[in-house]
Amino acid sequence: MAGGCAAALGPGYTIEKQVVEVSYTQQAPDRVSVRASYQVKNIGTKPLRALDIQPPDSEIIQPQELHVQWRGKTLEVPASKPDGGENELRMPLEGSWNIGESGEFVVSYDLKISPDQAAIGSNHGAAFFLPSSGWLPILLPPHGVFATGGTPPTKWNLVVSVPDGYRVHASGDNRGAEKHGTHAGLRFEQRPGTHYDAYVAAGPYIEQQVHSPGGTVVFWTASPLTSNRSAEVGKLVASDAAFFSTEFGAGETNKSPIWLIECPQGAPILKDRPWISQTGCLTQPHSVVIPAEAFRTGGPEEFAKSVDLQLAATWLYFSARPARYGALFPVAAIPEYAGLALAASRNADSRNEAIRDLLRRVDAIPDGGKPLIRIDAKDSPELQNRGRAESVLFFFALEDRCGPQNVHKGIARASRLLRGQTWGLPDLRSAVEAECGGPVLESFFREWMDGREIPAEFRARYAVAPAGK
């Protein structure tokens, strides 16, 4: 909640107005420019002499030419972080920011793209993707007891300016074109806590729409698909999205379309995630990005394998994310589990087959001396792959204990209650216990999270002995 509704107990400020402008022009085809403007007011108990910010996350996106202004004057961006700060910058303000005074704080920077690699369509315009976290700066509360500040207002505007012929998919409510600053753009009204975190996808795409009982699918491609292919793929994707919304959608009735966006050509970064390429293709809520050939080749089942994990992320990642510095698993594997749950809803036999395949994946990779709860993002891709497989097995074991519907409802409960926040193992356990009808799952969670082996009883149920035994 924006401040100002109650008496301040400590130093602080409120963001009265926030506008983020994203612009891409053919005159500067190698960059996307971002300008984040905050109209802020000191509502605290003392004058302020600095503002702390968290710049865009360098692990997700690399900002260049970072500039900061306060009341129209450029501030020097410090090279070092404040003591104890994690990816934070302290911006000393010129003079004192007195109680009751307002001012404009502006952060601007460029995001580099490769116009050759990211080219789409006959005019070779570049497509770009800004993910739903990490690309925007975050204003932080000042230091001090009962400090407040940095919370976005209940509504703020994201304005996206692109060349003629470009299409834009962004978070928020599209309020249409309007003049802002020196150029016109599409204004998307953001409502934190209701909408997903801000994101943008844009490019010179051709658009086709397919309507089916499951919902609407919007295709963005460099060249049009045949009507038969778009109908076949659109019906499948709408059906899959309807399953995730029903089973894991936290009670939402949102009928937002699903966007299928062609990923510019580029070598995949991860073998098991071919849609994440060197050209910066990034999944966003209610959207899927896939290589061009996946639109035109392969049967429905092969195509579904490329998109279901991304579809699941709309309800199982973007709503509430795994805690960044907490345990990676099992929460990070929920989208993969949901994809297999979808397959099992169509073919019950696929569940046991998937479990046996996952057990073989686990057995093929040494555990590195780490139980599941201790595997993190710093571990090798191989160990993380083991952790992901073991986590999905954990959810299937949880199904055996509580029933699939209760597991799905528990995950949806956590996603609903923690929307816009991060979550981890304690939240998952609490939510599933609430749906399970009373059984305390402490010993079950401990056996799977802290144990060094898949429980023997689970292996026996699915008739797969440990490797070498």
Side-chain angles (χ1 to χ4, degrees):
M1 178 180 73
C5 297
L9 299 177
Y13 63 92
T14 184
I15 302 177
E16 298 179 308
K17 183 179 179 181
Q18 178 172 322
V19 178
V20 174
E21 299 171 76
V22 173
S23 59
Y24 175 76
T25 68
Q26 292 173 328
Q27 288 71 40
D30 63 340
R31 74 200 69 176
V32 176
S33 295
V34 179
R35 183 183 188 273
S37 169
Y38 309 89
Q39 188 69 28
V40 292
K41 181 178 181 179
N42 186 338
I43 59 165
T45 56
K46 67 177 184 180
L48 298 175
R49 297 186 178 277
L51 255 179
D52 289 345
I53 67 170
Q54 182 176 303
D57 189 344
S58 60
E59 294 181 4
I60 296 175
I61 207 157
Q62 289 75 45
Q64 299 187 4
E65 301 295 328
L66 182 68
H67 297 284
V68 179
Q69 288 186 327
W70 169 246
R71 292 175 172 168
K73 294 184 179 181
T74 299
L75 304 180
E76 183 178 353
V77 178
S80 59
K81 305 172 186 177
D83 293 341
E86 180 64 37
N87 191 31
E88 296 177 12
L89 296 175
R90 176 161 300 159
M91 304 302 306
L93 307 176
E94 291 192 359
S96 178
W97 180 15
N98 294 321
I99 299 172
E101 290 185 350
S102 299
E104 184 185 33
F105 189 79
V106 178
V107 183
S108 59
Y109 48 93
D110 291 337
L111 304 173
K112 289 289 186 178
I113 60 175
S114 168
D116 295 328
Q117 285 189 323
I120 281 288
S122 58
N123 68 353
H124 302 293
F128 64 87
F129 301 81
L130 304 182
S132 106
S133 69
W135 66 277
L136 276 176
I138 298 174
L139 271 58
L140 302 171
H143 288 206
V145 179
F146 301 118
T148 59
T151 303
T154 54
K155 294 181 182 179
W156 62 273
N157 290 325
L158 170 64
V159 180
V160 183
S161 176
V162 292
D164 290 341
Y166 268 56
R167 298 188 184 276
V168 176
H169 173 46
S171 57
D173 295 323
N174 188 343
R175 300 305 188 192
E178 70 169 36
K179 186 81 171 180
H180 193 89
T182 59
H183 50 263
L186 290 173
R187 179 170 70 90
F188 296 87
E189 185 179 87
Q190 312 292 307
R191 288 178 290 160
T194 301
H195 291 155
Y196 294 95
D197 290 345
Y199 62 85
V200 180
Y205 290 103
I206 294 171
E207 180 174 296
Q208 295 170 271
Q209 295 190 15
V210 171
H211 305 280
S212 73
T216 298
V217 175
V218 180
F219 292 85
W220 280 5
T221 55
S223 56
L225 303 177
T226 66
S227 58
N228 287 342
R229 180 62 174 170
S230 61
E232 175 187 47
V233 171
K235 182 179 179 181
L236 175 70
V237 170
S239 174
D240 291 0
F243 172 85
F244 294 130
S245 180
T246 300
E247 293 294 307
F248 300 101
E252 67 178 27
T253 57
N254 187 358
K255 292 294 183 180
S256 175
I258 299 296
W259 271 259
L260 262 64
I261 305 175
E262 180 177 324
C263 176
Q265 297 298 321
I269 296 173
L270 301 173
K271 291 182 179 179
D272 61 339
R273 307 287 191 274
W275 55 85
I276 302 176
S277 87
Q278 292 173 344
T279 55
C281 301
L282 295 165
T283 305
Q284 299 166 341
H286 294 289
S287 69
V288 173
V289 290
I290 51 178
E293 60 271 16
F295 277 104
R296 295 170 175 82
T297 61
E301 292 185 1
E302 290 79 8
F303 185 87
K305 292 177 183 178
S306 299
V307 303
D308 284 343
L309 190 61
Q310 295 184 75
L311 281 177
T314 291
W315 295 272
L316 301 171
Y317 174 78
F318 292 113
S319 179
R321 303 173 192 273
R324 182 174 181 184
Y325 299 108
L328 187 61
F329 297 114
V331 172
I334 289 178
E336 187 167 340
Y337 158 68
L340 293 174
L342 167 62
S345 74
R346 292 178 173 150
N347 176 9
D349 292 340
S350 72
R351 182 181 186 274
N352 286 6
E353 181 181 342
I355 289 173
R356 288 190 286 268
D357 286 344
L358 288 162
L359 285 167
R360 285 188 281 268
R361 266 174 63 184
V362 168
D363 292 341
I365 303 170
D367 65 10
K370 285 190 171 184
L372 180 59
I373 192 67
R374 290 182 53 210
I375 298 174
D376 59 36
K378 297 178 182 178
D379 284 310
S380 68
E382 292 77 18
L383 188 55
Q384 290 187 49
N385 187 35
R386 177 192 168 99
R388 195 173 299 278
E390 194 172 340
S391 296
V392 178
L393 289 170
F394 161 81
F395 286 111
F396 281 128
L398 198 53
E399 285 187 359
D400 292 342
R401 179 75 176 262
C402 295
Q405 288 302 314
N406 287 330
V407 175
H408 298 177
K409 288 179 181 178
I411 292 171
R413 170 190 282 265
S415 180
R416 178 180 69 251
L417 295 177
L418 298 169
R419 185 179 179 93
Q421 304 176 53
T422 60
W423 65 308
L425 195 61
D427 306 298
L428 173 66
R429 179 186 154 190
S430 175
V432 174
E433 282 183 345
E435 298 293 343
C436 249
V440 175
L441 298 173
E442 180 180 358
S443 61
F444 175 87
F445 271 66
R446 185 170 59 249
E447 182 179 32
W448 276 88
M449 294 298 108
D450 298 325
R452 294 298 180 89
E453 295 182 350
I454 301 295
E457 181 271 337
F458 182 83
R459 281 189 179 274
R461 186 179 308 140
Y462 296 99
V464 179
K469 297 185 180 179

